[in-house]
Amino acid sequence: MESRSANGLMGKVLNLSFNGWLMIVVLVIFAFAPVLTEVFNQPFYLDVATRLVILAIAAVSLNLILGFGGMISFGHAAFLGLGAYSVGIPFYYDIYNGWLHFALAIVVSAVFAVITGAICLRTRGVYFIMITMAFGQMVYFAGVSAEEYGADDGLSIYVRSNFNGVLNFDDDTSLYYICFVSLLVALYIVHRIVNSRFGMAVRGAKGNEERMRAVGFNVYIYRLTCYAIAGAMCGFAGALLANFTDFISPEMIDWTRSGELMFMVILGGSGTLFGPFLGAAAFVGLDVFLSQYWVHWRLIFGILLVLTVLFAKGGITGVVANLESMLRRTRGRGSSAAKADGEGPDG
Amino acid sequence: MAEPVLQVSGLIKSFGGVLATDNVHLTVLPFETHAVIGPNGAGKTTLIAQLSGALRPDAGEIHFKGRDITHFPPYRRSLAGLARSFQITSVVQEMTVLQNVALAVQAHRGHSFRFWHPAAADRELIEPAMERLEQVSLAERAHDLTNALSHGERRQLEIAMALATDAELLLLDEPMAGMGIEESSRMVSTLQALKGEKTMLLVEHDMDVVFTLADRISVLVYGKVIATGSPEEVRSDDAVRRAYLGDEVA
Ligand SMILES: Nc1ncnc2c1ncn2[C@@H]1O[C@H](COP(=O)(O)OP(=O)(O)O)[C@@H](O)[C@H]1O
Ligand SMILES: [Mg+2]
């Protein structure tokens, strides 16, 4: 084998791919986001960062099934909604216990994922996309028709999840760090999962389903489990989102929301560990920037998605990896390793 | 006579009007290399697909080591000890050669609900996988992606994956198809090394290969088995000469 494995942490750092560096820089910036917004006196941007980080968790969870599992779900926002309503509905009945809210968000989402996934995963291709979307819309219409909880207008949440002083959801900086650490944990969980035996089974089924069956895998059961894990993770993000926005409404579940999550995954680089975070950052960044000029900019985000798929396969992560291997080649240091590093799940 | 490894009885499969498998009876004995020959469109691939579970027969039964597996899905047949290679090569894309074989090993090492420990560092998977790659002389390609392999190497990989499942019966659908002379002689020697160690059902076009490897041969024409026997018996069978060998060999 090549001698690209220099020893020790120092060697590892020096050997980092561009994507590795990008990840470190982005993580450092986000780790200091509250400080930066404070220094520059821009509290609005802490709000932006919080929303971004929450959406990134949702995108990371979608990436687990879409990017690594090849399950193109167009109904992922349903889990955001289920998580959010798991905070909103107990609040409505004066139940503020945060442990309960989040446990509910995770369990309800996982159960919904198992039930709907059991049906969706019997279909393939376009049918899978359509049926996941249909189940998503079902949750949306359930929200719309839930008169008790505000129906279309939604429900304001005046008391955030209460963790008996262990976690403080009321302070902006504290809430931000809760979300940011949650994102780090989500990334780490996904990193472990996709490289585990389970992850290999799921990724193998994306690469060649028939082959995986012929070789002895019960593809269906591993996919369903993966779907449930992703659903639970997104439900968790939904519970954070409800706390952050102090508001729940069916609009969080609409299929366009699912499309946005998909956009983040694909724009950032689906099937890479860090891509969805980059995609979420790009999406929210664009949202904040373009909304100043044109409130309906989202109308064109479909076009952006098509452009990404056509011209930047692999999204941001792919572009950075290609750039790196191009630079290395012109410098005469032939390196396919750079590409493999960048596009691998460890990128 | 020893208990057959595979016993196919009364198997029928039709596609619309085409009877691709027409009341097939077939017995494969332990450790024999049993070749299935027949002209294009005779139903050989269709037969393999039913044996591996990819296709559901309209009627008939398949017994594997005395067990009725007719209604087993493919993955359960694999777990029972049946492995197939595909006529059109089929490996997992975007993965390395080693990962492909390691997956085949993994499928047969209990359930895969293991979410935390990295599979790449799992010696229980990697070591047997490397052994299998050595067996088909593909070890030096272990860390290459599958799409970097030549056609012949990909076929070797398929054999390694079949072996990695510790299958007792290998279903090989034209393992030499589309290969050059050098590649196919490499495959022949790989199979020759397996002969007597594994039971093999070999679909093959090349008569030289068939007569070199096979202990017994079944001849399939229009979905029907018209003869079964030793290479000599089949070679001298009138029906076979008329229906198949006659026009091909002459
Ligand atoms: N999926 C299918 N749908 C319709 N007809 C098929 C299908 N698969 C095979 N056939 C037909 O069944 C017959 C046997 O095909 P096949 O098993 O591929 O033959 P062989 O492998 O011996 O060349 C052919 O007439 C073929 O056209
Ligand atoms: Mg065929």
Side-chain angles (χ1 to χ4, degrees), chain B residues 40 44-45 87 173-174 203:
Chain B
N40 251 327
K44 305 181 296 292
T45 297
Q87 181 172 359
D173 194 356
E174 301 201 27
V203 170

Side-chain angles (χ1 to χ4, degrees), chain B residues 16-116:
Chain B
V18 182
L19 252 183
T21 306
D22 186 0
N23 194 28
V24 164
H25 293 264
L26 186 74
T27 304
V28 179
L29 299 171
F31 302 110
E32 75 167 335
T33 299
H34 193 126
V36 174
I37 63 172
N40 251 327
K44 305 181 296 292
T45 297
T46 304
L47 176 63
I48 295 280
Q50 290 170 91
L51 298 181
S52 70
L55 264 184
R56 207 178 285 251
D58 298 338
E61 281 179 8
I62 304 165
H63 288 261
F64 179 64
K65 293 194 294 175
R67 241 163 125 195
D68 184 354
I69 61 162
T70 317
H71 302 288
F72 275 28
Y75 82 91
R76 283 190 64 199
R77 295 183 200 218
S78 168
L79 294 179
L82 224 133
R84 87 174 278 195
S85 76
F86 292 80
Q87 181 172 359
I88 317 277
T89 52
S90 175
V91 296
V92 181
Q93 304 293 317
E94 291 172 28
M95 282 203 184
T96 66
V97 171
L98 181 59
Q99 282 174 324
N100 267 268
V101 186
L103 274 172
V105 176
Q106 181 187 322
H108 295 259
R109 292 285 191 287
H111 63 77
S112 290
F113 291 109
R114 304 199 192 166
F115 301 94
W116 213 247

Side-chain angles (χ1 to χ4, degrees), chain A residues 1 188-189 192-201 203-208 210-219 221-222 225 229, chain B residues 74-75 78-79 84 86 90-92 95 99 103-104 106-109 111-119 122 124-125 143 158 161 165:
Chain A
M1 289 206 30
Y188 186 63
I189 289 174
R192 293 304 296 222
I193 288 179
V194 298
N195 289 300
S196 70
R197 284 192 185 197
F198 175 79
M200 291 307 289
R203 286 160 63 191
K206 177 197 176 193
N208 189 337
E210 188 186 19
R211 198 0 130 190
M212 290 295 282
R213 286 211 187 85
V215 104
F217 283 103
N218 183 352
V219 167
I221 205 77
Y222 294 118
T225 306
I229 294 171
Chain B
Y75 82 91
S78 168
L79 294 179
R84 87 174 278 195
F86 292 80
S90 175
V91 296
V92 181
M95 282 203 184
Q99 282 174 324
L103 274 172
Q106 181 187 322
H108 295 259
R109 292 285 191 287
H111 63 77
S112 290
F113 291 109
R114 304 199 192 166
F115 301 94
W116 213 247
H117 187 67
D122 201 332
E124 198 191 335
L125 304 179
H143 298 283
E158 282 214 58
M161 290 172 79
T165 66

Side-chain angles (χ1 to χ4, degrees), chain A residues 62 74 251 254-267 279 282-284 286-287 290-291 294-309:
Chain A
L62 175 60
F74 214 127
E251 191 265 336
D254 193 33
W255 68 271
T256 55
R257 287 317 179 89
S258 297
E260 287 168 14
L261 290 177
M262 229 163 149
F263 177 69
M264 293 174 205
V265 171
I266 293 168
L267 182 67
F283 178 82
V284 174
L286 278 175
D287 192 21
L290 292 178
S291 299
W294 186 33
V295 273
H296 297 299
W297 80 273
R298 281 179 197 203
L299 291 174
I300 60 160
F301 99 86
I303 298 171
L304 268 173
L305 186 59
V306 172
L307 289 177
T308 312
V309 171

Side-chain angles (χ1 to χ4, degrees), chain A residues 45-247:
Chain A
Y45 282 101
L46 185 59
D47 263 19
V48 171
T50 309
R51 185 160 69 93
L52 189 164
V53 164
I54 294 170
L55 290 176
I57 298 172
V60 164
S61 74
L62 175 60
N63 184 41
L64 184 59
I65 49 174
L66 192 155
F68 290 107
M71 295 169 257
I72 305 173
S73 165
F74 214 127
H76 208 60
F79 299 109
L80 268 184
L82 290 171
Y85 276 82
S86 295
V87 174
I89 293 177
F91 156 79
Y92 184 75
Y93 297 107
D94 300 325
I95 299 166
Y96 310 128
N97 186 321
W99 306 106
L100 184 92
H101 291 174
F102 279 74
L104 204 60
I106 289 170
V107 171
V108 167
S109 301
V111 169
F112 182 78
V114 168
I115 294 169
T116 60
I119 298 162
C120 299
L121 289 169
R122 296 195 180 279
T123 64
R124 295 279 163 276
V126 172
Y127 299 101
F128 181 80
I129 299 176
M130 299 302 284
I131 196 166
T132 49
M133 189 171 171
F135 276 121
Q137 286 304 93
M138 234 172 68
V139 177
Y140 170 77
F141 286 115
V144 167
S145 54
E147 301 283 349
E148 189 69 15
Y149 311 118
D152 256 345
D153 299 330
L155 190 72
S156 285
I157 298 174
Y158 302 108
V159 183
R160 285 181 176 174
S161 295
N162 179 352
F163 285 88
N164 323 86
V166 179
L167 297 169
N168 180 357
F169 272 56
D170 292 316
D171 175 70
D172 287 346
T173 302
S174 166
L175 180 63
Y176 173 78
Y177 277 118
I178 288 166
C179 296
F180 183 60
V181 170
S182 298
L183 172 62
L184 294 183
V185 171
L187 284 168
Y188 186 63
I189 289 174
V190 168
H191 166 72
R192 293 304 296 222
I193 288 179
V194 298
N195 289 300
S196 70
R197 284 192 185 197
F198 175 79
M200 291 307 289
V202 168
R203 286 160 63 191
K206 177 197 176 193
N208 189 337
E209 191 178 335
E210 188 186 19
R211 198 0 130 190
M212 290 295 282
R213 286 211 187 85
V215 104
F217 283 103
N218 183 352
V219 167
Y220 178 78
I221 205 77
Y222 294 118
R223 279 193 170 148
L224 184 57
T225 306
C226 188
Y227 196 72
I229 294 171
M233 194 179 277
C234 193
F236 180 91
L240 288 177
L241 192 60
N243 273 287
F244 167 67
T245 55
D246 298 313
F247 177 70

Side-chain angles (χ1 to χ4, degrees), chain A residues 289-336:
Chain A
F289 179 72
L290 292 178
S291 299
Q292 298 172 353
Y293 304 101
W294 186 33
V295 273
H296 297 299
W297 80 273
R298 281 179 197 203
L299 291 174
I300 60 160
F301 99 86
I303 298 171
L304 268 173
L305 186 59
V306 172
L307 289 177
T308 312
V309 171
L310 282 182
F311 299 111
K313 248 188 169 179
I316 298 171
T317 311
V319 168
V320 171
N322 284 338
L323 197 75
E324 174 170 15
S325 56
M326 237 161 65
L327 283 174
R328 299 230 156 151
R329 220 174 300 137
T330 51
R331 276 206 240 140
R333 279 201 279 147
S335 168
S336 55

